[in-house]
Amino acid sequence: MKKKPLYLILVMAALLVACSSEKEVQWSVSQAEVQAPAIIPQPQQLELGEVAYEVPSDNQISYTGEAAASARWLEQLLDGAGIPAGVSSSQTGGWQLHLSDTLSQLGEEGYRLDISDRGVQIQAATQAGLFYGIQTLRQLLPAALESGQVENQPVLLPELHIEDVPHYSWRGTMVDVARSFFDLEYLKKHVDRMATYKMNRLHLHLTDDQGWRIEIKGWPKLTEVGGDSAVKDGRSGYLTQEEYKELQSYAAARNIIIVPEIDMPGHIYAALRSYPEELNCPDYTNIAPRRATPPEPYHGTTVGWSKFCLENPAIYDFVTDVIREMSEITTGPWIHIGGDEIQDPRYEEFVVKADSIVQDFGKTTIGWEEVTKAEVSNSLISQVWHGRVESVVDVEVIQSICGHFYLDHANVEGQEHTNNWCKSDGITLEEVYDFKSEHPRTLGVEAPVWSEFVITDERMDDRFWPRSLAVAEIGWTAPDARNYEDFFERVQQQVGRLNAMGIHYYETPGIDWQQGQRSDQHNDVFAGFMPE
Ligand code: ACM
């Protein structure tokens, strides 16, 4: 072997030193004052250090375990913040993601986030946990990243330690796509926004008197006829099964499970007009008082007048087919059967049968609280909305009590185009926030927006935001750790982000909404993003 010349050996040695010193990440302390972070929802435990660090110009994301997808989320986030970073499965980067079963004390969705002179480290036992650690980090980065408008300035991150686990497993919203239709594009947008604030269940109210919004291949007229109508001035339309699945994958990548609702045996006129022979009694005695007669559409807002012909056993063929198809296309564990606002001697029999059909297809039933008047299975989940039903079963509950969570009600007294039946003076941000559950079997909270008057995307945004920030915090943060004044101050700190994201929120009084660039576009930094 030929001897290497001395200068080559020296160059190689110098390179080796340079490479190994690259492994020692050492972020430098900035002279800037440490800004207290204003995170929503408030983390369970947050220890703020004394200094801030300047993010260096050269960055590497490292991950362990199965955290490759999370590394892509982080890469996308940093890219939006003007911090380009490479990704590798080594352990040497200044941005580290650790996924490990040994962190099981963090549960299904918890995470640990550390920022120190070694850089940023996020640890969790699950992908969901890492995802939420990244969402928290997102709120520590400049809001302008949401719209890709970050200025070329040093990015500072405070020294901190966060250990964070959600209080409730169910942190949801519900969109009524039946009265007025909201399409795939809007629903994806809504999912992006929910995920930013760590919400994880999107309930779709897919069917009602005014419209049927999900393709059922065995009963095509449901969408051909029933999908073609809407509430007065509302939008008609429906989701194909392919669109539904696309939304579901998009949501799943953001730790959000879709909960489909087929509302039965009442609120069913769109189906009754699509299949009048099969689903109605002779002379339409099941439609009373008669607000519409098949095949005419219904555009009104009155409830409680339509139902299946419950004495006709053939309706169960329909119910079975619909629940089978919904179970086949739904990856989440739940099917919501509605069950609200209808009187019939056979109501309880229907609900028990529908619950059993859902279980036959391997899913768990959810129903509005009225279903607990019947001896349903104890695996059923009751969604409480008026709180007046005396349940005959001991089941878990989702809290959607109208006076706190029905966000179709006015933001402030007198707001136009709002419902007002449970609170005539509206439901303020503070009233949403004030909710505390007394029920020992509470799974969590969910805020519906019914769309009798919510007929545009802008109105849907206005009803959900900023009040969904309060719902997100009730869902995530333990009641003892919540404080409205502190929350309100943090909402103020979120304004720049909400503006950059292009949300058409309601301008709640007392908040200065003129922060940063208000965009008309949907600009979420993760809009459209799917990690491979
Ligand atoms: C409902 O508001 N009818 C559940």
Side-chain angles (χ1 to χ4, degrees), residues 113-129:
L113 168 63
D114 285 284
I115 301 177
S116 70
D117 60 356
R118 311 263 327 268
V120 172
Q121 188 180 57
I122 304 175
Q123 304 177 70
T126 62
Q127 301 282 356

Side-chain angles (χ1 to χ4, degrees), residues 267 340-341 368 385 406 450:
H267 286 271
D340 54 326
E341 294 182 301
W368 296 107
W385 62 284
Y406 269 36
W450 301 96

Side-chain angles (χ1 to χ4, degrees), residues 174 179 205 208 261 263 267 303 336 338-341 368-370 383-386 400 402 406 408 421 448 450 452:
M174 188 210 83
R179 270 49 178 263
H205 182 73
D208 214 300
E261 178 188 353
D263 200 353
H267 286 271
V303 299
H336 198 307
D340 54 326
E341 294 182 301
W368 296 107
E369 63 177 289
E370 286 94 321
Q383 185 163 14
V384 176
W385 62 284
H386 51 63
S400 293
C402 178
Y406 269 36
D408 42 85
W421 63 264
W450 301 96
E452 289 95 336

Side-chain angles (χ1 to χ4, degrees), residues 72 98 130 164 183 205 224 237 243 263 276 309 332 388 440 445 452 474 500 505 524 528:
R72 299 285 166 217
H98 294 301
L130 288 183
D164 202 10
D183 65 8
H205 182 73
E224 281 165 29
E243 287 175 319
D263 200 353
C309 182
R388 290 193 296 269
V445 295
E452 289 95 336
I474 301 165
Y505 50 74
D524 182 308

Side-chain angles (χ1 to χ4, degrees), residues 278-355:
E278 291 83 349
L279 304 178
N280 292 289
C281 297
D283 301 326
Y284 299 120
T285 51
N286 53 312
I287 310 180
R290 186 95 60 83
R291 306 276 175 197
T293 304
E296 73 178 299
Y298 179 63
H299 305 298
T301 57
T302 308
V303 299
W305 53 276
S306 70
K307 62 189 170 194
F308 285 135
C309 182
L310 288 170
E311 55 264 42
N312 178 4
I315 60 153
Y316 290 101
D317 297 337
F318 174 84
V319 171
T320 303
D321 285 351
V322 170
I323 293 180
R324 184 198 316 105
E325 287 200 32
M326 289 313 300
S327 302
E328 282 167 2
I329 60 173
T330 299
T331 51
W334 307 286
I335 302 284
H336 198 307
I337 60 166
D340 54 326
E341 294 182 301
I342 207 70
Q343 309 282 332
D344 191 282
R346 291 179 183 265
Y347 172 80
E348 290 177 20
E349 176 195 341
F350 176 86
V351 167
V352 169
K353 283 189 181 163
D355 176 26

